[in-house]
Amino acid sequence: MVHVLSGRTLLRPTDPERSRVFYGEQLGLAVYREFGEGPERGTVYFLGGGFLELSGRSEVPPSSAVRLWLQVADVAAAHEELRGKGVEIVRPPVKEPWGLIEMWVADPDGTRIVLVEVPADHPIRYRPGI
């Protein structure tokens, strides 16, 4: 078995500076580290238990199959904050049939990001007997 010590998702944005503004200023992710110089320098953001790295540049946006799943404490508060910052809200918060409250946004290249709130009574938080 591979012993994984850390992991990260890598995105190659079409406009690195625009994406840094989105992830750092609009979404409010904290910077873990930066490397390189110039407009295509790398920036790694904290994602709770993982990392998101923006580095390099791509001529085409990432595949629509790429999605980010981010758990937040209060999705309604995140909705208000992000809407106020001009973030594209793809879908406002909705309680899903499986009990999670989900909201969808998109980054500047169209990468879909789901912000998820896990209610206190949801089985993902606690399962008696396990």
Side-chain angles (χ1 to χ4, degrees), residues 15-29 45 54 85 87 108:
D15 183 336
E17 188 56 38
R18 180 180 68 177
S19 290
R20 273 192 292 278
V21 167
F22 174 79
Y23 285 101
E25 296 176 22
Q26 290 182 296
L27 209 52
L29 299 182
Y45 298 96
L54 301 179
K85 291 181 176 180
V87 171

Short mmCIF file of all heavy atoms in Angstrom, two decimals, residues 15-29 45 54 85 87 108:
data_model
loop_
_atom_site.label_atom_id
_atom_site.label_comp_id
_atom_site.label_asym_id
_atom_site.label_seq_id
_atom_site.Cartn_x
_atom_site.Cartn_y
_atom_site.Cartn_z
N ASP A 15 -6.13 31.88 -16.59
CA ASP A 15 -5.67 33.21 -16.16
C ASP A 15 -5.28 33.09 -14.68
O ASP A 15 -6.13 33.26 -13.80
CB ASP A 15 -6.76 34.25 -16.37
CG ASP A 15 -6.32 35.66 -16.01
OD1 ASP A 15 -5.38 35.83 -15.21
OD2 ASP A 15 -6.95 36.60 -16.53
N PRO A 16 -4.00 32.77 -14.40
CA PRO A 16 -3.60 32.52 -13.02
C PRO A 16 -3.92 33.66 -12.04
O PRO A 16 -4.37 33.40 -10.93
CB PRO A 16 -2.09 32.30 -13.12
CG PRO A 16 -1.89 31.81 -14.52
CD PRO A 16 -2.91 32.55 -15.34
N GLU A 17 -3.72 34.90 -12.45
CA GLU A 17 -3.98 36.01 -11.52
C GLU A 17 -5.46 36.12 -11.19
O GLU A 17 -5.85 36.30 -10.04
CB GLU A 17 -3.46 37.33 -12.09
CG GLU A 17 -3.51 38.47 -11.10
CD GLU A 17 -2.74 38.17 -9.79
OE1 GLU A 17 -1.67 37.54 -9.84
OE2 GLU A 17 -3.25 38.57 -8.72
N ARG A 18 -6.31 35.96 -12.19
CA ARG A 18 -7.76 35.99 -11.96
C ARG A 18 -8.17 34.86 -11.00
O ARG A 18 -8.98 35.07 -10.11
CB ARG A 18 -8.48 35.86 -13.30
CG ARG A 18 -9.99 35.87 -13.20
CD ARG A 18 -10.63 35.73 -14.54
NE ARG A 18 -10.36 34.38 -15.06
CZ ARG A 18 -10.83 33.90 -16.19
NH1 ARG A 18 -11.58 34.65 -16.97
NH2 ARG A 18 -10.55 32.68 -16.58
N SER A 19 -7.56 33.70 -11.17
CA SER A 19 -7.88 32.57 -10.29
C SER A 19 -7.35 32.80 -8.88
O SER A 19 -8.01 32.42 -7.90
CB SER A 19 -7.32 31.27 -10.87
OG SER A 19 -8.05 30.92 -12.03
N ARG A 20 -6.18 33.43 -8.74
CA ARG A 20 -5.67 33.74 -7.40
C ARG A 20 -6.60 34.73 -6.69
O ARG A 20 -6.84 34.61 -5.49
CB ARG A 20 -4.25 34.30 -7.47
CG ARG A 20 -3.19 33.20 -7.46
CD ARG A 20 -1.80 33.77 -7.24
NE ARG A 20 -1.34 34.57 -8.35
CZ ARG A 20 -0.79 34.07 -9.46
NH1 ARG A 20 -0.63 32.77 -9.59
NH2 ARG A 20 -0.40 34.85 -10.42
N VAL A 21 -7.13 35.69 -7.40
CA VAL A 21 -8.09 36.63 -6.81
C VAL A 21 -9.34 35.87 -6.36
O VAL A 21 -9.83 36.07 -5.25
CB VAL A 21 -8.47 37.75 -7.81
CG1 VAL A 21 -9.68 38.54 -7.34
CG2 VAL A 21 -7.27 38.68 -8.03
N PHE A 22 -9.82 34.96 -7.20
CA PHE A 22 -11.02 34.20 -6.85
C PHE A 22 -10.79 33.34 -5.60
O PHE A 22 -11.52 33.45 -4.62
CB PHE A 22 -11.46 33.30 -8.01
CG PHE A 22 -12.60 32.39 -7.63
CD1 PHE A 22 -13.90 32.86 -7.59
CD2 PHE A 22 -12.36 31.06 -7.28
CE1 PHE A 22 -14.94 32.03 -7.21
CE2 PHE A 22 -13.39 30.23 -6.91
CZ PHE A 22 -14.69 30.71 -6.87
N TYR A 23 -9.77 32.49 -5.62
CA TYR A 23 -9.56 31.55 -4.51
C TYR A 23 -9.07 32.25 -3.24
O TYR A 23 -9.48 31.89 -2.14
CB TYR A 23 -8.61 30.43 -4.92
CG TYR A 23 -9.27 29.42 -5.82
CD1 TYR A 23 -9.06 29.44 -7.20
CD2 TYR A 23 -10.14 28.47 -5.31
CE1 TYR A 23 -9.69 28.53 -8.03
CE2 TYR A 23 -10.78 27.56 -6.13
CZ TYR A 23 -10.55 27.58 -7.49
OH TYR A 23 -11.19 26.69 -8.31
N GLY A 24 -8.20 33.25 -3.38
CA GLY A 24 -7.64 33.91 -2.21
C GLY A 24 -8.50 35.02 -1.64
O GLY A 24 -8.68 35.11 -0.43
N GLU A 25 -9.06 35.86 -2.51
CA GLU A 25 -9.82 37.02 -2.04
C GLU A 25 -11.32 36.76 -1.98
O GLU A 25 -11.97 37.08 -0.99
CB GLU A 25 -9.52 38.24 -2.90
CG GLU A 25 -8.06 38.68 -2.80
CD GLU A 25 -7.71 39.83 -3.73
OE1 GLU A 25 -8.63 40.56 -4.15
OE2 GLU A 25 -6.51 39.98 -4.04
N GLN A 26 -11.88 36.20 -3.04
CA GLN A 26 -13.33 36.00 -3.05
C GLN A 26 -13.74 34.78 -2.21
O GLN A 26 -14.61 34.88 -1.37
CB GLN A 26 -13.84 35.86 -4.48
CG GLN A 26 -13.76 37.17 -5.25
CD GLN A 26 -14.30 37.02 -6.65
OE1 GLN A 26 -13.75 36.28 -7.45
NE2 GLN A 26 -15.39 37.72 -6.92
N LEU A 27 -13.11 33.63 -2.45
CA LEU A 27 -13.44 32.44 -1.68
C LEU A 27 -12.81 32.48 -0.29
O LEU A 27 -13.32 31.88 0.64
CB LEU A 27 -12.98 31.19 -2.43
CG LEU A 27 -13.76 29.90 -2.21
CD1 LEU A 27 -15.24 30.06 -2.41
CD2 LEU A 27 -13.22 28.80 -3.10
N GLY A 28 -11.72 33.23 -0.16
CA GLY A 28 -11.11 33.44 1.16
C GLY A 28 -10.24 32.30 1.66
O GLY A 28 -10.06 32.15 2.87
N LEU A 29 -9.68 31.50 0.75
CA LEU A 29 -8.81 30.41 1.18
C LEU A 29 -7.48 30.98 1.67
O LEU A 29 -6.92 31.90 1.08
CB LEU A 29 -8.56 29.43 0.04
CG LEU A 29 -9.79 28.72 -0.53
CD1 LEU A 29 -9.36 27.75 -1.63
CD2 LEU A 29 -10.57 28.00 0.55
N TYR A 45 -3.18 26.62 -1.52
CA TYR A 45 -4.14 27.04 -0.51
C TYR A 45 -4.51 25.87 0.40
O TYR A 45 -4.55 24.72 -0.04
CB TYR A 45 -5.43 27.55 -1.17
CG TYR A 45 -5.22 28.76 -2.03
CD1 TYR A 45 -5.03 28.64 -3.40
CD2 TYR A 45 -5.21 30.03 -1.47
CE1 TYR A 45 -4.83 29.77 -4.19
CE2 TYR A 45 -5.02 31.16 -2.26
CZ TYR A 45 -4.82 31.01 -3.62
OH TYR A 45 -4.63 32.12 -4.40
N LEU A 54 -2.66 26.17 -7.41
CA LEU A 54 -2.79 26.82 -8.71
C LEU A 54 -1.37 27.08 -9.19
O LEU A 54 -0.61 27.77 -8.51
CB LEU A 54 -3.52 28.17 -8.59
CG LEU A 54 -4.93 28.16 -8.02
CD1 LEU A 54 -5.46 29.58 -7.97
CD2 LEU A 54 -5.84 27.29 -8.84
N LYS A 85 -19.44 39.23 -2.62
CA LYS A 85 -18.12 39.40 -3.25
C LYS A 85 -18.19 39.18 -4.76
O LYS A 85 -17.16 39.18 -5.43
CB LYS A 85 -17.12 38.43 -2.64
CG LYS A 85 -16.77 38.76 -1.20
CD LYS A 85 -15.75 37.78 -0.67
CE LYS A 85 -15.32 38.14 0.73
NZ LYS A 85 -14.32 37.19 1.25
N VAL A 87 -19.14 36.43 -6.42
CA VAL A 87 -18.88 35.06 -6.88
C VAL A 87 -20.11 34.54 -7.62
O VAL A 87 -21.25 34.75 -7.18
CB VAL A 87 -18.53 34.14 -5.68
CG1 VAL A 87 -18.47 32.69 -6.11
CG2 VAL A 87 -17.22 34.58 -5.05
N PRO A 108 -13.38 31.09 -11.97
CA PRO A 108 -13.34 31.83 -13.24
C PRO A 108 -13.24 30.97 -14.49
O PRO A 108 -13.66 31.39 -15.56
CB PRO A 108 -12.10 32.71 -13.09
CG PRO A 108 -11.96 32.91 -11.62
CD PRO A 108 -12.39 31.60 -11.02
#
